[in-house]
Amino acid sequence: MRRARIIAKLLFILFLINIAFAGIPYYTYIYNERRRPVPSLPGFEPELIISGETIKPNLSFSAPEDLFIDKSNGDIYVADTGNNRIVVIGKDYKLKEIIDGFINNGEKDLFKAPTGLFVTRDGRLYIADSKNSRIVVLNKDRSLYMIIGKPVGDVIKVNFEYIPKKVAVDNLGRVYVVAENVVEGLIQFSPKGNFERFFGSNRVEVNPIELFWRRVLTRKQRSQLMLFIPIEYRNVTVDKDGFIYGCVRAWYDQIKRLNALGDNIIKQEGRTGNMYGDLYFGFTVRGEIADIAVDDSENLYVLDGRVGRFFVYNNLGDFLFVSGDIGNQKGTFQFPTAIDLYDGKVFVLDENKGTITVFKPTYFGSLVLKANSFYVDGYYGKAAEVWKDVVKMDTNYDLAYIGLGKNFLHEEKYKEAMVNFRLGFYPEGYSKALRGFRIEYMRRNFSKIMNLFILFLLIIYLVKRFLGGKIAFYYRSYAQKHPLFDTVMFVFYVILHPFDGFYELKRRKESFKASLILLIFIILAFIIRRIMTAFHFNPYRPEELNILLEVGRVLLPILAWVTINWAVTTIMDGKAKMREIFIMTVYSLFPLVLIYLPQTLLSHVFTLEEAAFYYFFDTIGSIWVLWILFAGMMELQEYSLSKVFGTSLITIAGIIFAMFIGMVFFATFQQFVRFIYMVYLEIKYMIG
């Protein structure tokens, strides 16, 4: 009965969620540990759309490029660029004021394509008047405070064309301007409007392909290529503490948080690292950041103008939500250009539509923001209570499990912390919890472990002392009667004495059958390692394991090596047959079985801080395998060491070439199948 009530409650919650989010016209997701999108509940939903008509009849926006919300009263300032004016909308979303100019030396001075806005705490309005090449500063009563013109200084070029696009002001009154075609950084002015310096200069963005061509081209050809130049800023804003945030057009590091020295101090501890927005194949962005906003909890709202979405990150770099899309429905955009925040809501300006879409947090979104606020401030206990509700609504939300894990870690409940970090795929946290659990376990059970260890050594000694001779006798008798078993066990001699071992193995009739049995052990060792390695050392999900694929991952490289190495050595006067190369390869790989099994067990003991010890097993295994493989080739092929090395390199090159040919064939075959299918559809439509 109790179980039935729980199921009924869960179904009711799902029903409410479906009702609440049925009208949201965009796909929402988060990124898993592989940076692949997985479905997630929306954090924000569209509440209303503000247009010229809604604030005043017969009023319309023309290509608006920026908006700014005065946090003191909720007034919305819109840079109505196409109409050369600033439109001020009140907190009630009705027209409050239109600013189309100001009095300058007794005469009316008009704006020309204003593209950037900023309002200070004392009510001063900064306007990037782009076509007039100036920053206009108006007092709260709209009287002129000052005009900041073209920067003047030794570092400014004589023919510099000044087109200010965006503007921001820090808590000390210093002005930061994004100007068109300026790659040196943000232009910083003093509170009195004097040019001070270029601030937060970007590093040069180098294209690896272009770098390659510069290496191989002549000096004359290089001179015809474009120079490597730093990337320019797209937008700028300021948080409540006065830190400057800037966004650039790049594949990574698109967002910067700049301190007084101009250094980027933004935290990027989340899964997406230093990449913001939509990720393409998990390792590069496919959009273009247009604007950014920062709330009081230092959550970062990133607007991508190309894909029509805004992304929310906490101040550690963890990805929280995504909202919006390209389209014509409520909550979608055609070309969003600006974003700002007020009273927990998100305001997005669409240049093409000439509208402002207001988003409000969903119930799920408000829970995440509340939990995240506790989480980043270190109040893991308070955050845990909210994270529990988040997990009930969205089991894909890994950050909730990480939050719960950090709370358990703080409470020194290490086992529970490990479980939640595993669910949240957070290896760093899992490693810390494992370390605590290991210390606690050893403290409680050290005497038992030592007693068992001494008992184990004693049993080994007694068995060897009193039964060793009999075991050795029975083993030799059994091996003589079963040559296949003897040949399989002969692998332990081969891996320690490869020259003598391969010489003897070549004369054994059962060597091929034995190599097949050993191959099964090798495949099992790889699969066991993949499944049972501890989470923090295992980048794969065991539940997604495909046995056939794992078998193929072992067999295909072995078969490719055997086939191509046989072809190469045949040409180069090698003596070994393909069968003998296969046997040699399998026997050479057997040390991995001996290495992987203890390594898998120790992965549950080592932490990430001790990863060097864990990966040392891989180093030992690789050196061991190469030593046996080279010894086997020298013995069977009758090669010198240098010739073995050369044929091995040629074999590897052949494998790479074969992979390339295989990919080309596969792609061509796909195109052929698609062509046949299209012809089939054409014939079907013609007949039908």
Side-chain angles (χ1 to χ4, degrees):
M1 189 68 181
R2 183 181 178 185
R3 183 178 296 178
R5 283 198 299 268
I6 293 173
I7 293 173
K9 288 180 181 179
L10 290 174
L11 291 174
F12 180 68
I13 290 173
L14 290 173
F15 175 72
L16 292 178
I17 291 172
N18 287 329
I19 292 176
F21 304 134
I24 295 178
Y26 45 80
Y27 171 64
T28 57
Y29 53 88
I30 57 173
Y31 289 107
N32 64 14
E33 76 284 358
R34 298 182 190 174
R35 295 180 178 176
R36 299 292 190 270
V38 293
S40 179
L41 296 178
F44 288 87
E45 59 183 337
E47 183 181 36
L48 72 141
I49 296 177
I50 303 171
S51 64
E53 284 287 337
T54 63
I55 63 174
K56 183 182 178 181
N58 301 321
L59 187 144
S60 63
F61 296 123
S62 175
E65 291 195 25
D66 201 13
L67 69 82
F68 188 93
I69 302 178
D70 187 346
K71 306 305 184 291
S72 64
N73 56 18
D75 287 349
I76 305 170
Y77 291 75
V78 180
D80 193 3
T81 308
N83 290 322
N84 301 311
R85 65 189 181 184
I86 309 301
V87 178
V88 185
I89 305 169
K91 191 176 181 179
D92 58 355
Y93 305 136
K94 298 299 180 184
L95 179 65
K96 187 173 183 178
E97 184 183 4
I98 293 179
I99 308 170
D100 58 2
F102 55 95
I103 302 301
N104 185 10
N105 294 325
E107 296 182 359
K108 184 70 176 286
D109 200 343
L110 302 177
F111 301 118
K112 192 174 182 181
T115 55
L117 299 170
F118 192 91
V119 180
T120 61
R121 294 176 181 176
D122 57 5
R124 284 200 180 116
L125 173 61
Y126 288 70
I127 303 164
D129 194 7
S130 64
K131 293 297 178 64
N132 285 324
S133 302
R134 62 188 181 180
I135 301 295
V136 177
V137 187
L138 302 180
N139 291 311
K140 199 168 185 177
D141 61 1
R142 306 312 177 214
S143 62
L144 178 64
Y145 176 71
M146 68 173 172
I147 293 177
I148 303 175
K150 179 179 177 180
V152 177
D154 295 337
V155 295
I156 304 297
K157 297 178 182 178
V158 178
N159 59 348
F160 171 56
E161 184 181 4
Y162 181 51
I163 307 176
K165 302 294 289 184
K166 305 296 177 183
V167 62
V169 184
D170 67 13
N171 295 345
L172 298 177
R174 291 172 298 208
V175 183
Y176 302 87
V177 176
V178 174
E180 193 171 294
N181 298 323
V182 174
V183 298
E184 290 84 358
L186 299 170
I187 303 175
Q188 179 181 320
F189 295 92
S190 70
K192 293 184 178 181
N194 299 317
F195 172 73
E196 292 186 332
R197 58 171 173 163
F198 288 109
F199 180 77
S201 299
N202 291 306
R203 66 172 181 265
V204 175
E205 188 81 10
V206 179
N207 185 323
I209 298 175
E210 187 174 352
L211 187 63
F212 167 76
W213 283 113
R214 286 180 181 273
R215 296 277 187 183
V216 299
L217 295 178
T218 64
R219 182 178 298 178
K220 184 178 181 180
Q221 291 170 327
R222 287 198 300 269
S223 65
Q224 297 174 357
L225 295 176
M226 292 181 62
L227 295 175
F228 290 143
I229 58 174
I231 46 183
E232 62 184 86
Y233 280 91
R234 294 292 310 280
N235 219 316
V236 63
T237 192
V238 179
D239 68 8
K240 62 182 177 62
D241 297 321
F243 285 99
I244 305 299
Y245 285 78
C247 62
V248 298
R249 183 192 289 113
W251 287 3
Y252 52 87
D253 277 337
Q254 307 105 303
I255 310 296
K256 302 177 184 297
R257 187 183 191 226
L258 305 170
N259 61 14
L261 298 176
D263 298 324
N264 185 17
I265 58 171
I266 196 167
K267 295 180 180 179
Q268 298 169 335
E269 300 174 8
R271 284 178 178 165
T272 57
N274 61 349
M275 294 182 288
Y276 299 87
D278 266 337
L279 301 186
Y280 193 58
F281 292 121
F283 62 86
T284 185
V285 295
R286 65 187 186 97
E288 188 172 298
I289 307 303
D291 197 10
I292 47 179
V294 187
D295 66 15
D296 289 342
S297 297
E298 297 183 4
N299 295 317
L300 189 62
Y301 294 71
V302 179
L303 179 64
D304 192 318
R306 181 177 295 175
V307 301
R309 300 188 180 109
F310 69 87
F311 303 80
V312 186
Y313 302 83
N314 66 16
N315 70 346
L316 300 176
D318 295 305
F319 178 41
L320 302 181
F321 312 114
V322 60
S323 300
D325 207 344
I326 297 295
N328 294 310
Q329 304 102 314
K330 181 180 179 181
T332 61
F333 314 101
Q334 290 181 0
F335 187 59
T337 56
I339 186 171
D340 208 352
L341 314 168
Y342 181 72
D343 196 24
K345 297 180 180 180
V346 181
F347 297 73
V348 180
L349 177 68
D350 192 316
E351 181 178 337
N352 284 6
K353 290 183 178 181
T355 60
I356 301 171
T357 303
V358 183
F359 292 82
K360 66 178 181 180
T362 62
Y363 177 66
F364 173 77
S366 62
L367 285 178
V368 171
L369 291 172
K370 182 179 179 181
N372 177 74
S373 179
F374 290 135
Y375 169 74
V376 296
D377 290 334
Y379 298 112
Y380 299 132
K382 293 181 179 179
E385 296 303 317
V386 188
W387 285 131
K388 290 176 183 177
D389 295 330
V390 172
V391 169
K392 290 177 183 177
M393 295 185 69
D394 187 354
T395 56
N396 281 340
Y397 208 80
D398 290 347
L399 191 59
Y401 294 111
I402 295 172
L404 290 170
K406 287 194 173 183
N407 176 57
F408 285 123
L409 184 62
H410 181 71
E411 294 177 351
E412 297 185 355
K413 297 179 180 178
Y414 301 114
K415 199 167 185 178
E416 293 85 347
M418 290 166 64
V419 171
N420 280 276
F421 285 137
R422 176 68 180 83
L423 291 171
F425 292 94
Y426 184 50
E428 291 80 6
Y430 184 93
S431 177
K432 291 179 182 178
L434 173 62
R435 183 180 182 183
F437 178 78
R438 187 178 66 185
I439 293 172
E440 186 182 74
Y441 186 85
M442 289 298 293
R443 188 181 296 135
R444 291 199 316 261
N445 300 284
F446 181 75
S447 60
K448 294 180 182 178
I449 293 172
M450 291 305 299
N451 290 335
L452 287 174
F453 180 69
I454 293 171
L455 180 62
F456 174 74
L457 293 178
L458 181 61
I459 291 173
I460 295 274
Y461 171 77
L462 292 176
V463 169
K464 186 177 180 181
R465 177 71 176 81
F466 296 104
L467 299 176
K470 291 183 178 180
I471 293 174
F473 173 76
Y474 287 125
Y475 170 78
R476 287 193 294 270
S477 300
Y478 186 84
Q480 289 176 358
K481 296 177 182 178
H482 301 84
L484 178 59
F485 171 78
D486 185 41
T487 307
V488 169
M489 298 302 293
F490 188 67
V491 69
F492 292 101
Y493 182 83
V494 172
I495 62 178
L496 295 176
H497 308 87
F499 288 100
D500 294 338
F502 282 119
Y503 178 81
E504 171 67 23
L505 190 65
K506 189 164 56 173
R507 288 155 179 77
R508 295 199 176 202
K509 295 181 180 180
E510 303 293 337
S511 58
F512 182 73
K513 293 181 182 178
S515 66
L516 294 178
I517 295 173
L518 292 175
L519 181 60
I520 294 173
F521 280 104
I522 293 170
I523 293 172
L524 288 176
F526 272 86
I527 293 175
I528 290 171
R529 187 193 192 205
R530 186 67 60 89
I531 294 175
M532 301 187 67
T533 296
F535 158 68
H536 55 305
F537 287 117
N538 190 359
Y540 307 98
R541 296 189 180 207
E543 61 270 19
E544 296 178 357
L545 184 73
N546 185 321
I547 297 296
L548 293 178
L549 184 61
E550 296 304 317
V551 172
R553 283 179 176 174
V554 179
L555 279 181
L556 288 179
I558 291 175
L559 295 178
W561 168 268
V562 170
T563 304
I564 296 175
N565 185 260
W566 170 78
V568 171
T569 54
T570 299
I571 296 173
M572 300 182 69
D573 300 323
K575 306 300 181 182
K577 301 175 183 178
M578 183 183 290
R579 179 175 179 270
E580 293 172 338
I581 296 174
F582 174 79
I583 295 169
M584 174 198 67
T585 303
V586 172
Y587 271 74
S588 299
L589 290 173
F590 188 77
L592 296 180
V593 177
L594 306 179
I595 292 291
Y596 284 170
L597 294 181
Q599 183 188 35
T600 301
L601 291 174
L602 289 172
S603 69
H604 295 271
V605 178
F606 292 146
T607 66
L608 290 178
E609 295 175 352
E610 299 145 359
F613 296 103
Y614 173 81
Y615 292 114
F616 181 70
F617 282 84
D618 288 326
T619 304
I620 294 297
S622 300
I623 294 174
W624 198 353
V625 167
L626 288 175
W627 173 55
I628 300 170
L629 190 64
F630 276 35
M633 292 179 67
M634 292 174 68
E635 176 64 34
L636 298 179
Q637 303 286 6
E638 298 182 10
Y639 280 172
S640 64
L641 180 61
S642 59
K643 197 169 184 178
V644 168
F645 187 74
T647 54
S648 298
L649 289 179
I650 296 172
T651 301
I652 294 171
I655 292 173
I656 296 172
F657 180 73
M659 290 172 59
F660 173 75
I661 295 297
M663 288 188 291
V664 171
F665 175 78
F666 182 72
T668 305
F669 182 74
Q670 274 189 320
Q671 293 293 331
F672 176 73
V673 171
R674 189 176 300 171
F675 171 75
I676 296 297
Y677 181 68
M678 294 300 295
V679 171
Y680 163 75
L681 290 179
E682 289 289 339
I683 296 173
K684 181 180 177 181
Y685 291 147
M686 290 174 62
I687 296 175

